[in-house]
C-alpha cells in the first residue's frame, strides 16, 4: 500500500517560540530524512531566517501549491506572511495567526491525502484564538476536524498516560465524569494500545479522583459514587481496568510498570508525573482518530526562544513515534 516513504506534514507552531528551532534541529538528522519525506507548512522567509539564525544550515526546498514534495529534501510549503519579523519570546497576534494558518494547511493536507501523518510544533493557546480556532488546544481542534472520540495520550517507550478530562478547570472535573465519557476514553485507550502499539491484551490502571481514593468517604465519596461503579461496568464489558489507585504513590512506587497504560482523571494528575519522569523524551499523541498526530511534551518555551538551547529530543521522538504508529497501523 505504501511503498514510498511516508509524507509527514509539520506545522511550524508559534514562530516566536522554539517551534522552528526544534523542527530544524530534528530535520538536520539525516536518519530522520531516511525514514520520511517532510513537508513543513510555513512562510519560506521565516523558516530561512531561523535556519540562518540557529546555524542549522539545512537545505530547504520551497514547494508551491501544485508541486509534489521531493524525496530526501526538507520541503517547505510556502504560506506567504508579508514581512513578518521574528520577535523571539514575544506573544503577538500575528504570530498566533501564523501558527493557526500553518496548522490549518497541515490539517487540510492530511484531509486531502497529501500527507500521511502530521507532527505539530507548540502553539500559544491564547494568541491563536480566533473565529476559526475557538478551542483549548490542538486535540480539540483535531477532534472537531476529524469527528472522533479522541484521547490526549502522553507516551514514551515505558510510560503511557491518558486523560479522562484534559484542558478544563479543576472545578469542572467531577461534573464531566459521566459513564459515557469514562467508557469512551477507556475504549479509546484500549483500541490505541492494540492498534497503534500492538499490545494484544492491554491492562489499564485508573487513578482516583480524591486523595487516598477518598479514605472510605472521609475525603469525599466521588470515587465510590463515580469511578468504582464505572469500573464494575467496564469489567462486565470485557475491559481489563483496575479499581482506582491513590495517585500520590502510584508512580513513585513503580506500580505503573505493572500496566500498559494509566488513565488519569485530570490534566495535572497525569502530566506532572509524566513530565517529571520523562521530560524531553515524551510525546503527546492524539489517540482515537483515524489520523495520526503527535507533538512534543512541552510548550512554546518563550523564556529560551532564540537562545539556541532548545532541546529537540521530544520533537524528534514525536516524528519517530508517529512513523512507528503509521507502520503499526499498516501491518496487514
Amino acid at each position: 500500500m505504501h511503498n514510498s516513504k511516508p509524507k509527514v506534514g509539520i506545522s511550524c507552531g508559534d514562530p516566536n517560540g522554539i517551534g522552528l528551532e526544534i523542527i530544524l534541529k530534528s530535520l538536520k538528522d539525516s536518519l530522520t530524512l531516511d525514514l520520511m519525506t517532510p513537508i513543513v507548512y510555513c512562510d519560506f522567509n521565516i523558516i530561512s531566517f531561523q535556519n540562518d539564525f540557529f546555524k542549522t544550515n539545512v537545505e530547504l526546498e520551497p514547494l508551491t501549491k501544485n508541486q509534489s514534495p521531493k524525496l530526501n529534501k526538507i520541503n517547505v510549503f510556502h504560506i506567504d506572511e508579508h514581512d513578518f519579523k521574528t520577535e523571539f519570546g514575544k506573544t503577538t497576534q500575528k504570530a498566533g495567526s501564523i501558527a493557526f494558518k500553518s496548522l490549518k494547511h497541515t490539517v487540510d493536507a492530511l484531509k486531502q491525502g497529501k500527507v500521511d501523518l502530521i507532527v505539530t510544533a507548540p502553539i500559544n493557546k491564547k494568541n491563536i484564538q480566533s473565529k476559526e480556532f475557538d478551542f483549548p488546544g490542538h486535540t480539540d481542534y483535531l477532534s472537531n476536524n476529524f469527528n472522533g472520540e479522541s484521547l490526549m495520550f502522553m507516551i514514551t517507550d515505558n510510560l503511557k498516560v491518558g486523560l479522562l478530562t484534559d484542558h478544563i478547570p479543576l472545578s469542572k472535573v467531577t461534573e464531566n465524569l459521566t459513564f459515557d465519557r469514562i467508557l469512551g476514553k477507556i475504549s479509546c485507550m484500549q483500541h490505541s494500545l492494540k492498534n497503534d502499539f500492538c499490545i494484544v491484551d492491554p491492562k489499564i490502571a485508573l487513578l482516583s479522583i480524591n486523595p487516598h481514593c477518598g479514605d472510605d468517604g472521609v475525603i469525599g465519596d466521588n470515587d465510590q459514587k463515580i469511578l468504582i461503579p464505572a469500573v464494575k461496568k467496564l469489567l462486565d464489558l470485557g475491559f481489563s481496568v483496575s479499581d482506582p489507585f491513590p495517585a500520590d504513590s502510584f508512580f513513585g512506587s513503580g506500580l505503573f510498570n505493572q500496566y500498559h497504560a494509566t488513565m488519569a482523571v485530570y490534566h495535572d494528575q497525569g502530566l506532572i508525573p509524566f513530565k517529571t519522569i520523562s521530560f524531553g523524551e515524551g510525546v503527546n499523541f492524539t489517540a482515537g482518530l483515524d489520523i495520526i498526530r503527535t507533538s512534543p511534551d512541552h510548550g512554546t518555551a518563550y523564556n529560551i526562544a532564540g537562545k539556541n538551547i532548545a532541546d529537540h529530543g521530544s520533537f524528534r521522538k514525536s516524528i519517530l513515534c508517529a512513523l512507528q504508529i503509521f507502520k503499526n497501523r499498516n501491518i496487514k
Side-chain angles (χ1 to χ4, degrees), residues 27-331:
L27 296 180
K28 192 175 170 71
D29 183 340
S30 59
L31 262 180
T32 320
L33 271 186
D34 288 344
L35 298 170
M36 64 165 185
T37 299
I39 306 160
V40 185
Y41 291 81
C42 184
D43 182 293
F44 196 79
N45 298 311
I46 297 174
I47 193 170
S48 297
F49 163 75
Q50 296 209 19
N51 190 24
D52 293 340
F53 183 88
F54 293 114
K55 298 186 171 58
T56 31
N57 302 323
V58 298
E59 198 180 326
L60 301 169
E61 187 74 32
L63 195 63
T64 54
K65 200 168 186 180
N66 298 313
Q67 279 182 307
S68 295
K70 293 190 178 158
L71 284 170
N72 305 315
K73 297 282 185 187
I74 297 163
N75 299 274
V76 179
F77 184 94
H78 176 60
I79 305 166
D80 196 4
E81 289 301 347
H82 315 295
D83 307 321
F84 173 79
K85 188 172 181 299
T86 304
E87 296 177 275
F88 289 116
K90 288 199 175 167
T91 311
T92 66
Q93 284 307 115
K94 181 67 175 162
S97 157
I98 287 170
F100 173 68
K101 279 191 208 163
S102 173
L103 178 62
K104 187 177 188 318
H105 274 88
T106 310
V107 166
D108 287 348
L110 189 58
K111 284 180 178 171
Q112 293 156 15
K114 291 179 178 173
V115 297
D116 297 301
L117 48 123
I118 64 173
V119 182
T120 60
I123 56 172
N124 175 303
K125 300 207 174 63
K126 186 146 192 239
N127 72 11
I128 198 173
Q129 295 297 323
S130 66
K131 278 182 188 162
E132 287 190 276
F133 191 98
D134 183 18
F135 302 94
H138 279 115
T139 306
D140 312 84
Y141 178 72
L142 290 163
S143 300
N144 188 61
N145 269 271
F146 294 99
N147 304 321
E149 168 84 55
S150 70
L151 172 74
M152 190 170 168
F153 206 5
M154 307 299 292
I155 55 177
T156 67
D157 294 341
N158 304 313
L159 178 62
K160 293 178 175 56
V161 178
L163 303 177
L164 284 180
T165 64
D166 41 62
H167 294 126
I168 63 169
L170 197 52
S171 58
K172 295 195 172 157
V173 166
T174 46
E175 69 193 60
N176 275 279
L177 293 177
T178 60
F179 177 69
D180 280 352
R181 172 180 276 266
I182 296 166
L183 173 62
K185 297 291 183 185
I186 293 282
S187 300
C188 203
M189 180 179 269
Q190 174 168 285
H191 182 261
S192 180
L193 289 168
K194 286 182 173 179
N195 199 39
D196 302 329
F197 301 99
C198 302
I199 295 165
V200 179
D201 184 19
K203 291 178 177 50
I204 296 169
L206 180 64
L207 299 182
S208 67
I209 300 168
N210 291 320
H212 310 165
C213 226
D215 271 342
D216 293 324
V218 177
I219 320 174
D221 57 4
N222 305 96
D223 292 284
Q224 285 69 24
K225 284 189 167 169
I226 301 170
L227 292 188
I228 291 171
V231 168
K232 284 198 176 106
K233 285 187 191 172
L234 289 165
L235 292 172
D236 287 343
L237 290 169
F239 291 93
S240 180
V241 58
S242 74
D243 272 332
F245 282 104
D248 59 348
S249 58
F250 182 77
F251 293 95
S253 66
L255 248 179
F256 71 90
N257 288 313
Q258 294 175 27
Y259 294 86
H260 295 109
T262 303
M263 186 68 84
V265 174
Y266 55 92
H267 184 279
D268 284 13
Q269 184 189 56
L271 265 65
I272 289 171
F274 180 84
K275 291 187 179 186
T276 304
I277 293 168
S278 62
F279 199 73
E281 285 290 304
V283 171
N284 179 355
F285 167 47
T286 305
L289 303 177
D290 290 340
I291 55 107
I292 297 168
R293 173 261 173 173
T294 58
S295 72
D297 65 356
H298 56 73
T300 53
Y302 287 143
N303 58 318
I304 59 165
K307 295 181 180 173
N308 206 6
I309 55 171
D311 182 350
H312 64 289
S314 179
F315 194 83
R316 186 169 177 276
K317 273 273 194 191
S318 301
I319 295 172
L320 297 175
C321 183
L323 289 168
Q324 186 60 52
I325 291 167
F326 179 76
K327 193 175 169 186
N328 291 346
R329 283 191 185 184
N330 285 288
I331 293 169

